[in-house]
RNA sequence: GCAGCCGUAGCUCAGUUGGUUAGAGCACCAGAUUGUGGAUCUGGGGGUCGGCGGUUCGAAUCCACCCGGCUGUACCA
């Protein structure tokens, strides 16, 4: 069918979405399998939910009429109810647990990998459909459950080939920040909206640096394109208090920056318990903060008892994480090795996953809070990290292609089909060439498919009751030494004949020589 | 969402002050080689110059709007 060019359909993908090829799928499956092994070993069981949920079950508000798809992809069911594509795996899990609460063993320990969707501006490494790999424990209030999450995340990192020392699980607590708010409110009340602004400012520490954060805590900040961001509106002494909580003090020199990292001995201490002591002394918390310190201390003790030292699980008060539903400890898996960015600068790879305690999420469906903790790995981000460190899990060669049976004589396709079937019955990946092209093109096809071998049986071989087997890998190697085409043609490198009856045996043997069977 | 930069073949890019039929390299297809993936040579296919309007005798080139990409920023449950 020929269509007029002017109305021909354009093949194109909406922005922020991507197709995946065989090599990437295989590598990603290997990675997921390693993570799955770790989760299973900890006693978690698989559980999945669908891509679509009622919008209200996902935890936010109904889409508004003007912009129904802001952030989340939404549409109306035929009964006028709003449905949405899930944007994480935690809210659907909470829905599932609440729905089957009485039937589930508690604590309920489950894991799942799945696609999630966010209708946001995509960028390099940021898609509108991406995969997360979650594990959650619902019904356990003990910090032991949180500690276990951190340990499991650390194990998962090592299982996929991130060396110890190349990652760290950073831990803080939403309650620490709440304690800070209590102290600040002692001077002047801080409303929810203003507090949200403070949290957002803190969250930008890694990107904007201490002085950028200070600006956002107070009046506001102008970025390099001249755009102005309104600040949280704290008074200078309040903002100073926040900065000191984050581990910064006024730069004595005041040369270029107002704030510099606090380099007092306690702050450089790589010991979770001393870090907590110092935090208690310098920050000055209200009752909620005091509780957070107890939680974190317990978590640190569990980690130490499990043999996970500060090179793997480290208390770090600058971790903020998702601002909405976390209620206690929060964690972040950070890769600490450096990679070149687009500008050629060397930067740490950064976060590949995170999580925390969300005691209120299941409770939205019930009368009471249900304690829960979990974490999520950003699969594609971890995947690109593994490529950066050349983990064997993702750099391993792609699966080889099928043995291709060439169609030399169109009258005899049944014979070729039978050969392919024989090879398959023997467990060998094989196919008969299904296109229309001649032999040369068939060879090119086999080459492109990554075939280890092709099977050739034209008139000559048939007459002798033989088949030719050509080793494409060895052939390519030999070809580099051949300059003229005449020689190349007559040499027929890496090719040999076997009796027709010995086809399967000979193919097995040839694959073995290649180390592929 | 806001701001800046950018859109020419599948890819990387040329294209003069606005002036014939818009080019190159790589990739792709075919032939040289009635039956051999490489190399070489020859030939071929592929473009509504992101889209739609406007200015002009004439637009890839100038203008307006739209779409897409990149960067920064905002948002990120």
């Amino acid at each position: 069918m020929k269509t007029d060019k002017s109305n021909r359909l354009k093949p194109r993908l909406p922005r922020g979405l991507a197709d995946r090829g065989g090599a990437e799928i295989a590598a990603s499956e290997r990675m997921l399998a390693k993570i799955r092994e770790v989760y299973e070993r900890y006693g978690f069981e698989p559980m999945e939910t669908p891509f679509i949920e009622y919008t209200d079950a996902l935890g936010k508000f109904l889409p508004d009429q003007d912009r129904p798809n802001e952030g989340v992809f939404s549409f109306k069911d035929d009964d006028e109810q709003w449905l949405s594509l899930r944007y994480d795996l935690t809210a659907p899990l909470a829905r599932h647990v609440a729905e089957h609460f009485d039937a589930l063993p508690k604590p309920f320990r489950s894991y799942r990998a799945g696609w999630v969707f966010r209708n946001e501006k995509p960028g390099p490494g940021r898609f509108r459909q991406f995969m997360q790999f979650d594990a959650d424990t619902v019904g356990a209030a003990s910090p032991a459950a949180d500690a276990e999450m951190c340990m499991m995340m650390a194990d998962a990192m090592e299982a996929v080939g991130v060396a110890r020392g190349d990652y760290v699980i950073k831990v803080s607590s939403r309650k620490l920040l709440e304690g800070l708010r209590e102290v600040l409110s002692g001077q002047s009340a801080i409303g929810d909206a203003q507090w949200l602004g403070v949290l957002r400012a803190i969250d930008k520490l890694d990107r904007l640096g201490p002085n950028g954060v200070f600006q956002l805590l107070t009046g506001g900040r102008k970025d390099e394109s001249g755009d102005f961001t309104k600040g949280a509106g704290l008074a200078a002494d309040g903002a100073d208090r926040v900065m000191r909580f984050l581990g910064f003090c006024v730069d004595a020199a005041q040369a270029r920056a107002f704030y510099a990292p606090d380099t007092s001995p306690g702050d450089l201490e790589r010991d979770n318990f001393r870090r907590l002591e110092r935090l208690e002394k310098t920050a000055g918390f209200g009752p909620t903060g005091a509780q957070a310190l107890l939680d974190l201390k317990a978590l640190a003790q569990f980690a130490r008892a499990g043999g996970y030292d500060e090179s793997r699980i480290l208390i770090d008060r600058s971790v903020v994480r998702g601002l909405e539903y976390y209620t206690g400890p929060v964690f972040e898996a950070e890769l600490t090795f450096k990679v070149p960015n687009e500008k050629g600068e060397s930067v740490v790879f950064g976060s590949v996953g995170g999580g925390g305690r969300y005691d209120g999420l299941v409770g939205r469906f019930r009368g009471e809070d249900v304690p829960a903790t979990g974490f999520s790995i950003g699969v594609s981000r971890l995947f690109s990290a593994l490529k950066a460190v050349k983990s064997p899990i993702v750099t391993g060669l792609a699966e080889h292609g099928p043995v291709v049976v060439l169609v030399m004589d169109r009258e005899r396709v049944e014979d070729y089909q039978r050969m392919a079937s024989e090879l398959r019955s023997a467990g060998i990946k094989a196919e008969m060439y299904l296109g229309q092209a001649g032999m040369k093109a068939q060879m090119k096809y086999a080459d492109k498919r990554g075939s280890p071998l092709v099977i050739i049986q034209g008139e000559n071989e048939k007459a002798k009751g033989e088949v030719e087997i050509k080793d494409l890998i060895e052939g390519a190697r030999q070809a580099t030494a051949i300059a003229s085409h005449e020689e190349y043609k007559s040499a027929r490198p890496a090719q040999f004949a076997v009796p027709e009856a010995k086809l399967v045996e000979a193919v097995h043997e040839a694959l073995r020589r290649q180390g592929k069977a």
Side-chain angles (χ1 to χ4, degrees), chain A residues 369-392:
Chain A
D369 274 4
V370 176
T373 184
F375 75 87
S376 176
I377 290 176
V379 170
S380 59
R381 217 176 136 60
L382 178 58
F383 188 75
S384 50
L386 295 188
K387 283 199 264 191
V389 292
K390 298 187 168 52
S391 164

Side-chain angles (χ1 to χ4, degrees), chain A residues 186-411:
Chain A
Q187 292 156 355
S188 63
I190 294 181
D192 286 348
Q194 187 179 21
W195 183 242
L196 194 62
V198 172
L199 293 180
R200 282 174 185 160
I202 294 173
D203 201 32
K204 292 180 177 60
L205 178 61
D206 56 339
R207 201 149 40 84
L208 302 182
N211 295 294
V213 171
F214 183 81
Q215 287 168 3
L216 284 178
L217 287 170
T218 51
R221 175 178 176 275
K222 196 183 278 189
D223 69 43
E224 44 203 89
S225 75
D227 204 13
F228 184 76
T229 308
K230 196 165 180 290
L234 287 185
D237 63 332
D240 187 55
R241 186 131 209 166
V242 175
M243 295 309 295
R244 272 188 282 136
F245 165 81
L246 290 173
F248 291 91
C249 59
V250 176
D251 188 343
Q254 287 208 2
R256 293 174 61 99
F258 275 93
Y259 282 93
D262 186 341
T263 51
S264 330
D267 262 77
L268 296 178
E269 195 68 66
R270 248 184 121 73
D271 176 299
N272 284 335
F273 298 100
R274 295 209 193 151
R275 281 186 164 218
L276 289 170
E277 280 167 27
R278 169 151 185 97
L279 199 49
E280 190 168 10
K281 277 184 201 145
T282 56
F285 291 112
T288 310
Q291 179 60 47
L293 290 171
L294 288 177
D295 288 348
L296 289 175
K297 195 172 173 190
L299 195 154
Q301 272 162 347
F302 283 119
R304 180 165 288 184
Y308 293 75
D309 66 17
E310 281 79 356
S311 70
R312 293 203 270 171
I313 298 176
L314 183 68
I315 304 277
D316 184 329
R317 59 196 150 176
S318 68
V319 175
V320 182
R321 293 295 306 165
L323 307 171
E324 205 67 32
Y325 57 62
Y326 291 122
T327 55
V330 287
F331 0 102
E332 191 156 85
E334 187 177 309
L335 301 186
T336 53
F337 56 80
K338 302 223 168 169
V339 290
N341 67 5
E342 315 79 45
K343 293 170 193 157
E345 300 158 343
S346 188
V347 294
V348 296
F349 191 91
S351 171
V352 290
R357 176 160 287 280
Y358 51 96
D359 288 348
L361 210 49
V362 179
R364 291 183 304 120
F365 300 96
R366 302 175 56 80
E368 56 188 352
D369 274 4
V370 176
T373 184
F375 75 87
S376 176
I377 290 176
V379 170
S380 59
R381 217 176 136 60
L382 178 58
F383 188 75
S384 50
L386 295 188
K387 283 199 264 191
V389 292
K390 298 187 168 52
S391 164
I393 289 173
V394 298
T395 58
L397 292 174
E399 289 272 296
H400 69 78
V403 171
V404 174
V405 180
L406 301 194
V407 175
M408 302 298 291
D409 180 354
R410 298 236 156 247
E411 308 293 300

Side-chain angles (χ1 to χ4, degrees), chain A residues 121-144:
Chain A
K121 178 187 161 186
R126 265 189 95 166
F127 296 90
R128 295 202 291 175
Q129 172 185 324
F130 58 99
M131 191 174 270
Q132 293 190 330
F133 203 152
D134 282 31
D136 298 84
T137 297
V138 181
S142 162

